Amino acid sequence: MLQALLRDALHDFRAETKAEIVGLHLDLLRMGSSWRSEMREAVGGIGEELRALREENQRLREENERLRRGY
């Protein structure tokens, strides 16, 4: 009788704990997805700015080279 009560209690506890862990796992997945989206938005503007700076650097290098050559 006592064994049956303990077994039922442990079974219920295990089932509740498993459900909570699954819920936490889903929350972590959602948070990760949200974090990735936020990072894309934040880095997206920086990436465009970086591309523009690289293009400007290339133009300035070419101009420096022309000035060194004397034309």
Side-chain angles (χ1 to χ4, degrees):
M1 172 90 170
L2 181 59
Q3 239 179 356
L5 287 173
L6 284 174
R7 187 175 32 238
D8 289 344
L10 287 175
H11 181 269
D12 291 344
F13 175 75
R14 189 172 70 195
E16 290 172 8
T17 304
K18 183 178 180 178
E20 288 180 19
I21 290 172
V22 168
L24 288 172
H25 186 232
L26 292 173
D27 287 344
L28 285 172
L29 290 173
R30 285 186 203 107
M31 287 172 50
S33 176
S34 174
W35 181 80
R36 274 193 304 273
S37 296
E38 290 175 13
M39 289 303 291
R40 269 191 215 110
E41 289 176 18
V43 173
I46 294 170
E48 183 64 30
E49 191 175 326
L50 184 60
R51 185 187 61 75
L53 287 172
R54 285 181 178 159
E55 289 175 359
E56 182 180 7
N57 281 346
Q58 183 61 35
R59 284 192 304 273
L60 291 171
R61 282 187 187 110
E62 291 169 0
E63 182 180 353
N64 282 341
E65 190 60 35
R66 276 194 320 272
L67 291 171
R68 282 187 194 122
R69 290 181 187 164
Y71 56 90

